[in-house]
Amino acid sequence: MNLPIYQTDPATATRYLFFTGKGGVGKTSLSCATALKLAEAGKRVLLVSTDPASNLDEVLETHLTNAPTAIVGVPGLDAMNIDPVEAAAAYRERLIGPMRGLLPEAALRNMEEQLSGSCTVEIAAFDEFTALIGNPEAAKNYDHVVFDTAPTGHTLRLMSLAKAWDQFLDNSTSGSSCLGPLAGLDKQRAIYEATVHTLADATATTLVLVSRPQSAALNEAQRTSGELRALGVGNQCLVINGVFETNCPEDVTALALQRRGMAAIEAADAFINSLPTSIVPLRPVNILGVQGLRLLLASGSCAIAKPLPNGWSPPEMESLEDLVADIERQGNGVIMTMGKGGVGKTTVAAAIAVMLAKRGHSVHLSTTDPAAHVAQTLAGQVPGLTLSKIDPAAETAAYQEEVMTAQGAAMDAAGRSLLEEDLRSPCTEEIAVFRAFAREVGQGTNRFVVLDTAPTGHTLLLLDASEAYQRELERQARSTQPEEVLKLLERLRDPTFTRILLVTLPEATPVHEAAELQDDLRRARIEPFAWLINQSLLHSGSCDPLLQGREASERRYLSEVVAKHATRTAWLPWQSEEPTGPEALARLAVSNLKPAIPTRKP
C-alpha cells in the first residue's frame, strides 16, 4: 500500500474544512487534530461541531457551549458546539421578542407553540451553521473554520438545506411556512445564497471524507462523495483512518485485522484513486486530550502499551443469544438498536432479525438511518424475514400526495396552490419520515419489528417529534391522525412491547454517548432493555503490542458499563470476518466469553 500519511499543510489549507463520513470513523478526532495542527502553525482556528450528539467536549477535555471557547494550552484554537435546543430558543426569541408588548399574551403563546417543533430546531441549528459561512462578520477573526459534522445522512441534510430553503423562499407566495412568517427566513436569504456559493468554491472549501478500512465505511464515503458533488461541493479528499499492519506474523487475530483492512481498501481501489487519498495508522490508545490528538497525527512510531497486566477479571456479561431468547418469549414487539454511529447498530439489528426469523417468527427489519446499509449487511434471503428502508424522498412524495388528495379536492385553485406550496417546505420531510417511523413501530403488534436507528442525535430528534407532528397537523387543519402516531409514545414506553438495545464499543466516547442517550430516554420515560458491547478484543490472546494496548484500554470501559450504566449487559467479540450474510449474522448469537478465533497459527 503506497498511500501517504495524512498531514495538514497550513500553506494550502482552505478557509473552510468539513469532515464527514459514516458514524464512528474518527471524524471528531481528525477534525480536532487538524485544527490543532493549524493552530500550532500560527493560524487562528475555530472548530465547530454540527452534530446534535457532539463529543467535542470529551475529545478536547473542555466544556463547550454554543459560543467560541478557548482551548487551554493551544493558543489560537477556539471551539464550539452548535446546540440545536439552545439555537431554537434563540431563534424563537428573535422572531417573538419584537412582538412582546404589542400582541396579546395568548397570541404570543400561540406563536411559541407553533415554533416549538422539530422543524424549528432544525432550521435554528441550520441558521447557526450558515451564519459561520455566509455571514462575513461571523468568523472574521479566524483564518480557518473546521467543521466536525454529524454522520453522513445528517450532514447531507444540513448542506442540502441551503439550496432547499433558498429555493423555497424564491417560490413562496403565501408569506408563511411551518416556521411562521417567512419574513424571519427571508432576512437570511443573502446568507443562504452566500453559503451555497462558498460550499461550491474550491478555493474556499474542502470536504474531507473520513473512512475506516472497512467496506461499509468506504462504500458510504463513495456514495456521499457523489451526493455532495451533486450539491456543488466538489473539492474533496479521502482519509482512511485506523489502517493496521502487524509486526507479529504468527498472530491470527492481528493478521485477520490486517487482512480485512487491506481487502476493503483493494475493493475500493477505483474510488480511492479518483480523489486525493491518505491514511492514518491505527493507534494503541483512545484519542483524548491535546496529547492524544498530537499522537494521532504523529509522523513517527507511537509508544506502544506494555503487555496486559495480570489480576483483572472481566465483569459478568451475557451473549446476544441470551437477549434474543428473552425477546422471543413475548412473541411480537419492537426491537430498536441505538447508539453512536459506527458501533455496529446495523449488524446487531440484522443479527437479531435473522435469529428470530430462523426460530420461526415473522420478522420485519427496517431502518431510520438516512445512510443505512441494512441490505448490504443482510446480503441474502431468510424465510420469514422482510426488509425495508425509510426513504425520505419517497415518504415525502407519498405524504404530499396523500394530503393533496384528502384536502385539495375541496379547495379552489388558489387554495390548492397555497397547500402545494406549504407542502414543498423542507420541514415536510421531517413530518413524513416521522410518520413512517410510527408506521414501522405499529407493525410490531402482530410480528417482530427490528429497527436500525440513525446515530444518536438524529434519533433523538425523531423521537422528539411526536408532539411537534401533532402541532403541525393542527396548524394545517388536518383533522385525522394515523392510529400509529397516536399510540407511538405509549408503545415506546411499554417495556413489554419495545426493547431498546444500546450498542457501544469498549471505548470512552461510545460508552459515554450511550450513557447520555440512556438519560435522555429515561427522561422521556423510556427504559432501555440492555446494553451490548460490540467488537471487543477481550480474550483475543493477541501478541501484537498495539492490539495488546487496545485490549488493555478496553478494560475500564467494560467494567464501567456493567458497574455503572447498564442493568443488563451483553458482549460480542471482534470478528475475524465481517459479519455479512445470514449465516455469519446467525453465528453472532452463540458468541460468548471465550476467544472468538484461534490466537496463533497451528
Short mmCIF file of all heavy atoms in Angstrom, two decimals, residues 229-265:
data_model
loop_
_atom_site.label_atom_id
_atom_site.label_comp_id
_atom_site.label_asym_id
_atom_site.label_seq_id
_atom_site.Cartn_x
_atom_site.Cartn_y
_atom_site.Cartn_z
N ARG A 229 -21.11 16.12 -4.54
CA ARG A 229 -20.79 16.72 -5.83
C ARG A 229 -22.06 17.23 -6.51
O ARG A 229 -22.06 18.28 -7.15
CB ARG A 229 -20.07 15.71 -6.73
CG ARG A 229 -18.65 15.42 -6.31
CD ARG A 229 -17.94 14.51 -7.30
NE ARG A 229 -16.69 14.01 -6.75
CZ ARG A 229 -15.55 14.71 -6.71
NH1 ARG A 229 -15.52 15.94 -7.22
NH2 ARG A 229 -14.47 14.18 -6.18
N ALA A 230 -23.15 16.47 -6.37
CA ALA A 230 -24.42 16.90 -6.95
C ALA A 230 -24.92 18.20 -6.31
O ALA A 230 -25.64 18.98 -6.94
CB ALA A 230 -25.46 15.80 -6.80
N LEU A 231 -24.54 18.43 -5.05
CA LEU A 231 -24.89 19.68 -4.36
C LEU A 231 -23.92 20.81 -4.68
O LEU A 231 -24.09 21.93 -4.20
CB LEU A 231 -24.94 19.45 -2.85
CG LEU A 231 -26.05 18.55 -2.31
CD1 LEU A 231 -25.85 18.26 -0.84
CD2 LEU A 231 -27.41 19.20 -2.55
N GLY A 232 -22.86 20.49 -5.44
CA GLY A 232 -21.90 21.52 -5.81
C GLY A 232 -20.63 21.53 -4.99
O GLY A 232 -19.75 22.36 -5.21
N VAL A 233 -20.50 20.60 -4.03
CA VAL A 233 -19.30 20.55 -3.18
C VAL A 233 -18.32 19.59 -3.84
O VAL A 233 -18.37 18.37 -3.62
CB VAL A 233 -19.65 20.09 -1.75
CG1 VAL A 233 -18.42 20.19 -0.85
CG2 VAL A 233 -20.79 20.94 -1.18
N GLY A 234 -17.41 20.11 -4.64
CA GLY A 234 -16.56 19.26 -5.46
C GLY A 234 -15.13 19.12 -4.99
O GLY A 234 -14.42 18.19 -5.41
N ASN A 235 -14.64 20.01 -4.13
CA ASN A 235 -13.25 19.94 -3.68
C ASN A 235 -13.16 18.94 -2.53
O ASN A 235 -13.35 19.30 -1.37
CB ASN A 235 -12.75 21.31 -3.26
CG ASN A 235 -11.27 21.30 -2.92
OD1 ASN A 235 -10.52 20.43 -3.37
ND2 ASN A 235 -10.83 22.28 -2.14
N GLN A 236 -12.86 17.67 -2.84
CA GLN A 236 -12.93 16.60 -1.86
C GLN A 236 -11.60 15.85 -1.76
O GLN A 236 -10.84 15.78 -2.73
CB GLN A 236 -14.02 15.59 -2.25
CG GLN A 236 -15.40 16.18 -2.41
CD GLN A 236 -16.41 15.15 -2.87
OE1 GLN A 236 -16.11 13.96 -2.98
NE2 GLN A 236 -17.62 15.60 -3.15
N CYS A 237 -11.36 15.31 -0.59
CA CYS A 237 -10.26 14.36 -0.41
C CYS A 237 -10.73 13.26 0.54
O CYS A 237 -11.75 13.41 1.21
CB CYS A 237 -9.00 15.05 0.12
SG CYS A 237 -9.17 15.78 1.77
N LEU A 238 -10.00 12.16 0.58
CA LEU A 238 -10.37 10.99 1.39
C LEU A 238 -9.26 10.68 2.37
O LEU A 238 -8.09 10.66 2.00
CB LEU A 238 -10.62 9.78 0.48
CG LEU A 238 -10.86 8.43 1.16
CD1 LEU A 238 -12.18 8.44 1.93
CD2 LEU A 238 -10.86 7.30 0.11
N VAL A 239 -9.63 10.44 3.63
CA VAL A 239 -8.68 9.99 4.65
C VAL A 239 -9.19 8.67 5.21
O VAL A 239 -10.32 8.58 5.70
CB VAL A 239 -8.54 11.02 5.79
CG1 VAL A 239 -7.55 10.49 6.84
CG2 VAL A 239 -8.06 12.36 5.26
N ILE A 240 -8.36 7.62 5.11
CA ILE A 240 -8.71 6.31 5.65
C ILE A 240 -8.04 6.19 7.01
O ILE A 240 -6.81 6.10 7.12
CB ILE A 240 -8.26 5.18 4.71
CG1 ILE A 240 -8.83 5.39 3.31
CG2 ILE A 240 -8.72 3.83 5.26
CD1 ILE A 240 -8.33 4.39 2.28
N ASN A 241 -8.84 6.19 8.05
CA ASN A 241 -8.35 6.24 9.43
C ASN A 241 -8.29 4.84 10.03
O ASN A 241 -9.14 4.00 9.77
CB ASN A 241 -9.30 7.12 10.25
CG ASN A 241 -8.83 7.31 11.68
OD1 ASN A 241 -7.63 7.32 11.95
ND2 ASN A 241 -9.77 7.48 12.59
N GLY A 242 -7.26 4.58 10.84
CA GLY A 242 -7.17 3.32 11.57
C GLY A 242 -6.63 2.17 10.74
O GLY A 242 -7.00 1.02 10.95
N VAL A 243 -5.71 2.47 9.81
CA VAL A 243 -5.10 1.41 8.99
C VAL A 243 -4.09 0.64 9.83
O VAL A 243 -3.24 1.24 10.50
CB VAL A 243 -4.43 2.00 7.74
CG1 VAL A 243 -3.69 0.92 6.95
CG2 VAL A 243 -5.47 2.69 6.86
N PHE A 244 -4.17 -0.69 9.79
CA PHE A 244 -3.36 -1.53 10.68
C PHE A 244 -2.49 -2.49 9.89
O PHE A 244 -2.96 -3.16 8.96
CB PHE A 244 -4.28 -2.33 11.62
CG PHE A 244 -3.57 -3.35 12.46
CD1 PHE A 244 -2.73 -2.95 13.51
CD2 PHE A 244 -3.73 -4.71 12.22
CE1 PHE A 244 -2.07 -3.89 14.29
CE2 PHE A 244 -3.08 -5.65 13.01
CZ PHE A 244 -2.24 -5.24 14.04
N GLU A 245 -1.21 -2.55 10.26
CA GLU A 245 -0.28 -3.55 9.74
C GLU A 245 0.47 -4.13 10.94
O GLU A 245 1.06 -3.40 11.72
CB GLU A 245 0.70 -2.93 8.74
CG GLU A 245 0.04 -2.45 7.46
CD GLU A 245 1.04 -1.96 6.43
OE1 GLU A 245 1.87 -2.79 5.97
OE2 GLU A 245 1.02 -0.77 6.10
N THR A 246 0.45 -5.46 11.07
CA THR A 246 1.01 -6.10 12.25
C THR A 246 2.50 -6.37 12.10
O THR A 246 3.01 -6.56 11.00
CB THR A 246 0.28 -7.42 12.55
OG1 THR A 246 0.80 -7.97 13.77
CG2 THR A 246 0.46 -8.44 11.43
N ASN A 247 3.17 -6.39 13.24
CA ASN A 247 4.57 -6.80 13.32
C ASN A 247 4.70 -8.17 13.98
O ASN A 247 5.78 -8.55 14.42
CB ASN A 247 5.39 -5.76 14.11
CG ASN A 247 5.48 -4.44 13.37
OD1 ASN A 247 5.71 -4.41 12.17
ND2 ASN A 247 5.27 -3.34 14.10
N CYS A 248 3.56 -8.86 14.08
CA CYS A 248 3.53 -10.15 14.77
C CYS A 248 2.92 -11.18 13.83
O CYS A 248 1.73 -11.51 13.93
CB CYS A 248 2.70 -10.01 16.05
SG CYS A 248 2.85 -11.36 17.22
N PRO A 249 3.70 -11.70 12.86
CA PRO A 249 3.13 -12.52 11.78
C PRO A 249 2.53 -13.84 12.22
O PRO A 249 1.80 -14.46 11.46
CB PRO A 249 4.34 -12.75 10.87
CG PRO A 249 5.54 -12.55 11.74
CD PRO A 249 5.15 -11.50 12.73
N GLU A 250 2.82 -14.30 13.45
CA GLU A 250 2.22 -15.56 13.91
C GLU A 250 0.88 -15.35 14.63
O GLU A 250 0.26 -16.31 15.08
CB GLU A 250 3.18 -16.29 14.83
CG GLU A 250 3.38 -15.67 16.21
CD GLU A 250 4.42 -14.57 16.25
OE1 GLU A 250 4.78 -14.05 15.17
OE2 GLU A 250 4.86 -14.20 17.36
N ASP A 251 0.44 -14.10 14.74
CA ASP A 251 -0.78 -13.77 15.48
C ASP A 251 -1.97 -13.78 14.52
O ASP A 251 -2.08 -12.93 13.64
CB ASP A 251 -0.60 -12.38 16.13
CG ASP A 251 -1.75 -12.02 17.05
OD1 ASP A 251 -2.89 -12.40 16.77
OD2 ASP A 251 -1.48 -11.35 18.06
N VAL A 252 -2.88 -14.75 14.70
CA VAL A 252 -4.02 -14.88 13.79
C VAL A 252 -4.97 -13.69 13.92
O VAL A 252 -5.52 -13.21 12.92
CB VAL A 252 -4.76 -16.20 14.06
CG1 VAL A 252 -6.04 -16.29 13.24
CG2 VAL A 252 -3.85 -17.37 13.76
N THR A 253 -5.19 -13.20 15.13
CA THR A 253 -6.06 -12.04 15.32
C THR A 253 -5.53 -10.83 14.57
O THR A 253 -6.26 -10.16 13.82
CB THR A 253 -6.18 -11.69 16.82
OG1 THR A 253 -6.71 -12.80 17.52
CG2 THR A 253 -7.09 -10.48 17.03
N ALA A 254 -4.24 -10.55 14.74
CA ALA A 254 -3.63 -9.40 14.08
C ALA A 254 -3.66 -9.55 12.57
O ALA A 254 -3.95 -8.61 11.82
CB ALA A 254 -2.20 -9.21 14.57
N LEU A 255 -3.35 -10.76 12.08
CA LEU A 255 -3.35 -10.99 10.64
C LEU A 255 -4.76 -10.84 10.06
O LEU A 255 -4.94 -10.33 8.96
CB LEU A 255 -2.79 -12.38 10.33
CG LEU A 255 -1.28 -12.54 10.51
CD1 LEU A 255 -0.88 -14.00 10.33
CD2 LEU A 255 -0.53 -11.66 9.52
N ALA A 256 -5.76 -11.30 10.80
CA ALA A 256 -7.14 -11.17 10.32
C ALA A 256 -7.55 -9.70 10.23
O ALA A 256 -8.20 -9.28 9.27
CB ALA A 256 -8.09 -11.94 11.24
N LEU A 257 -7.18 -8.90 11.25
CA LEU A 257 -7.50 -7.48 11.24
C LEU A 257 -6.81 -6.79 10.06
O LEU A 257 -7.41 -5.98 9.35
CB LEU A 257 -7.06 -6.84 12.56
CG LEU A 257 -7.32 -5.35 12.72
CD1 LEU A 257 -8.81 -5.04 12.58
CD2 LEU A 257 -6.80 -4.84 14.07
N GLN A 258 -5.54 -7.12 9.83
CA GLN A 258 -4.81 -6.54 8.70
C GLN A 258 -5.44 -6.97 7.38
O GLN A 258 -5.62 -6.15 6.47
CB GLN A 258 -3.35 -6.98 8.76
CG GLN A 258 -2.51 -6.49 7.58
CD GLN A 258 -1.06 -6.90 7.71
OE1 GLN A 258 -0.41 -6.56 8.69
NE2 GLN A 258 -0.55 -7.63 6.73
N ARG A 259 -5.80 -8.26 7.26
CA ARG A 259 -6.37 -8.77 6.02
C ARG A 259 -7.70 -8.11 5.70
O ARG A 259 -7.96 -7.74 4.55
CB ARG A 259 -6.54 -10.29 6.14
CG ARG A 259 -7.07 -10.94 4.85
CD ARG A 259 -7.23 -12.44 5.01
NE ARG A 259 -8.26 -12.78 5.98
CZ ARG A 259 -8.03 -13.29 7.18
NH1 ARG A 259 -6.78 -13.53 7.59
NH2 ARG A 259 -9.03 -13.59 8.00
N ARG A 260 -8.55 -7.93 6.71
CA ARG A 260 -9.84 -7.29 6.48
C ARG A 260 -9.66 -5.88 5.95
O ARG A 260 -10.33 -5.44 5.02
CB ARG A 260 -10.66 -7.26 7.78
CG ARG A 260 -11.43 -8.52 8.06
CD ARG A 260 -12.23 -8.44 9.34
NE ARG A 260 -13.17 -7.33 9.36
CZ ARG A 260 -14.09 -7.17 10.29
NH1 ARG A 260 -14.20 -8.06 11.28
NH2 ARG A 260 -14.92 -6.16 10.26
N GLY A 261 -8.73 -5.14 6.55
CA GLY A 261 -8.50 -3.76 6.12
C GLY A 261 -7.96 -3.68 4.71
O GLY A 261 -8.43 -2.88 3.89
N MET A 262 -6.97 -4.52 4.39
CA MET A 262 -6.38 -4.49 3.06
C MET A 262 -7.40 -4.90 1.99
O MET A 262 -7.44 -4.34 0.90
CB MET A 262 -5.17 -5.42 3.00
CG MET A 262 -3.98 -4.98 3.86
SD MET A 262 -3.37 -3.32 3.49
CE MET A 262 -4.01 -2.39 4.91
N ALA A 263 -8.24 -5.89 2.30
CA ALA A 263 -9.25 -6.35 1.35
C ALA A 263 -10.25 -5.23 1.05
O ALA A 263 -10.66 -5.04 -0.11
CB ALA A 263 -9.97 -7.58 1.88
N ALA A 264 -10.66 -4.50 2.08
CA ALA A 264 -11.62 -3.40 1.88
C ALA A 264 -11.01 -2.29 1.04
O ALA A 264 -11.66 -1.73 0.14
CB ALA A 264 -12.07 -2.85 3.23
N ILE A 265 -9.74 -1.98 1.29
CA ILE A 265 -9.06 -0.93 0.52
C ILE A 265 -8.90 -1.35 -0.93
O ILE A 265 -9.13 -0.57 -1.86
CB ILE A 265 -7.70 -0.59 1.17
CG1 ILE A 265 -7.94 0.14 2.51
CG2 ILE A 265 -6.84 0.26 0.25
CD1 ILE A 265 -6.69 0.36 3.33
#
